Amino acid sequence: MNETVDVAVIGAGPYGLSLAAHLRAAGVSYRQFGVPLNLWRTAMPRGMYLKSQGFACSLSDPSSTHTLERFCRETGRAYADIGVPVSLDTFLEYGTWFERNHAPDVEQVLVEHLRRNGDRYELELTDGRLATARHVVVATGVEHFVRVPDVLSQLPAHLSSHASAHVDLGVFRDREVAVLGAGQSALETAALLRESGASVRIVARRNGIVWNGLPPTEERSLRRRLREPEAGLGTGWATWFYSEHPELFRRLPAATRTRLARTALGPAGAWWLRDRVDGRIPLLLQRQVDWADPTGDRVRLGLRRGSETTTLSVDHVISATGYRPDIARLSFLDPELRGRVTTLDRTPRVGADYQSDVAGLFFVGPTVAPSFGPVMRFVYGADHASRAVTARISPARDRRVSVMPGAGR
């Protein structure tokens, strides 16, 4: 029997699993659809490390009991709040542990179509079943928003791909590969390619690679800590604001939010990655890819620098050019429903409770970065989103909303 539940959660990544933990603890009836941490398992390369510090990689549960620190302590894995990079393998094992304890009822099926029918939402699932709910939370992450330069979009898959297409970069052993981009994804992809036996070049429009500094030590003076506070997304007062106060970020003018969501915390490499790139991988900087010409089993790239254009011939080009959220690319949304959602820079415009202007339809995660700021692109933002949405939907709605440590409302 298809019983109507209070909430349907679409997605089972860090935001979806965290939200499930909060809904479950609050006694809210819900169903959750998705493959747990699917993007992390199928679109990130083996050997990868998370860029965030250890303390910022925990999923969120109401009592903050199932942290990454506790998991590492119980399983004998290396951990530090700051200074010890978190491997992808550790994070995946941690996610499984968290799911088992806080979100054990994930239905591993996808949502094919979401529509509103009266005061209910109907979800058609890929296995043919139908689910109904009073509220829906879209927590799908970035898998729908892959960004590839237009000039490369028509190349065949054997010549061009996005960084998210590769789990095993060893398939490029003894091949020549160009990696486009200057951020963490591009730099780490290039490092892993080189270490897998490929010949690699990094091609970037920027005039230099930016590297994050060494993490602060616990022995920092009070004066230094006041000048450069440590926060979930890094050090400094601006970063602290983005990390700890998404509810205040939401009050900035819309144009400012849009700009900061795109430009704040721009492309940069983690401190621990630098030695694997500097002096080891050729950098073709200040280059714009003007054209791409497939020639048999290789591709020629026209790289413009100022008024000069040079040619680079490689076996494959990987675009590590990130993601661009756009509600139009959420194909499971019914067109009529999608058309009723007011947008900001192509993303849903949401209120303080993450609810769109369509009653009962919520969005969390990277999809609402222009509303709540850059923290929505990171695991760290899941705490604020989960608490706010649960407080809005829970029967005990009049209770005070608690948010991330240090983040008053």
Side-chain angles (χ1 to χ4, degrees), residues 52-58 68-70 72-73 77-86 90 215-216 218 271:
S52 296
Q53 299 286 2
F55 79 93
C57 292
S58 291
L68 177 63
E69 178 183 13
R70 177 182 168 187
C72 290
R73 185 173 64 248
R77 296 169 185 255
Y79 173 86
D81 283 345
I82 296 173
V84 176
V86 179
T90 291
E218 294 182 359
W271 62 272

Side-chain angles (χ1 to χ4, degrees), residues 105-391:
D105 301 317
V106 179
E107 299 177 49
Q108 296 198 29
V109 61
L110 303 182
V111 174
E112 193 166 68
H113 192 77
L114 171 66
R115 60 176 173 268
R116 186 160 176 95
N117 187 356
D119 62 349
R120 298 287 189 272
Y121 286 93
E122 294 182 347
L123 301 89
E124 294 181 14
L125 308 178
T126 52
D127 63 3
R129 292 181 296 148
L130 184 70
T132 59
R134 299 177 185 86
H135 308 86
V136 171
V137 182
V138 178
T140 50
V142 296
E143 56 263 40
H144 296 274
F145 308 131
V146 167
R147 183 185 181 190
V148 175
D150 290 341
V151 71
L152 302 177
S153 61
Q154 300 305 312
L155 290 176
H158 73 280
L159 296 178
S160 174
S161 59
H162 188 266
S164 63
H166 304 289
V167 171
D168 178 14
L169 291 169
V171 298
F172 293 104
R173 177 179 295 276
D174 298 326
R175 302 181 69 193
E176 293 182 282
V177 183
V179 177
L180 303 189
Q184 176 72 7
S185 176
L187 299 170
E188 191 168 18
T189 295
L192 290 170
L193 281 166
R194 176 186 170 276
E195 291 159 5
S196 297
S199 173
V200 192
R201 294 176 180 83
I202 294 174
V203 179
R205 292 179 296 179
R206 294 177 172 263
N207 58 12
I209 301 298
V210 176
W211 294 101
N212 296 133
L214 291 172
T217 63
E218 294 182 359
E219 293 77 25
R220 290 196 310 161
S221 67
L222 176 62
R223 180 180 180 184
R224 183 67 180 271
R225 281 181 279 145
L226 288 174
R227 287 179 57 188
E228 296 182 347
E230 177 70 17
L233 305 187
T235 57
W237 282 106
T239 305
W240 172 84
F241 175 69
Y242 302 143
S243 303
E244 311 299 336
H245 288 285
E247 79 286 351
L248 297 181
F249 183 96
R250 197 184 68 82
R251 299 181 184 180
L252 296 174
T256 301
R257 282 183 280 138
T258 298
R259 175 177 57 81
L260 290 175
R262 286 193 177 189
T263 61
L265 309 176
W271 62 272
W272 47 262
L273 182 60
R274 188 167 188 169
D275 288 345
R276 296 163 60 191
V277 175
D278 267 2
R280 298 177 182 272
I281 299 175
L283 306 176
L284 302 177
L285 302 177
Q286 296 180 293
R287 262 74 167 195
Q288 173 75 42
V289 181
D290 266 1
W291 51 264
D293 179 26
T295 55
D297 292 332
R298 292 174 67 84
V299 56
R300 295 171 63 246
L301 304 175
L303 305 182
R304 176 169 51 84
R305 182 180 185 182
S307 59
E308 297 182 358
T309 299
T310 57
T311 300
L312 174 65
S313 178
V314 293
D315 295 305
H316 195 88
V317 55
I318 295 178
S319 297
T321 44
Y323 304 83
R324 179 63 60 81
D326 184 344
I327 190 175
R329 298 179 70 176
L330 295 177
S331 57
F332 59 84
L333 288 180
D334 182 84
E336 188 275 335
L337 179 61
R338 186 188 307 125
R340 293 168 56 192
V341 177
T342 301
T343 59
L344 173 64
D345 193 28
R346 300 185 179 183
T347 69
R349 186 191 295 267
V350 296
D353 56 3
Y354 292 78
Q355 185 171 200
S356 70
D357 52 7
V358 178
L361 181 60
F362 298 74
F363 294 85
V364 297
T367 310
V368 293
S371 290
F372 281 97
V375 72
M376 293 296 117
R377 305 199 309 259
F378 296 83
V379 173
Y380 195 67
D383 187 74
H384 186 277
S386 299
R387 294 181 189 277
V389 172
T390 302

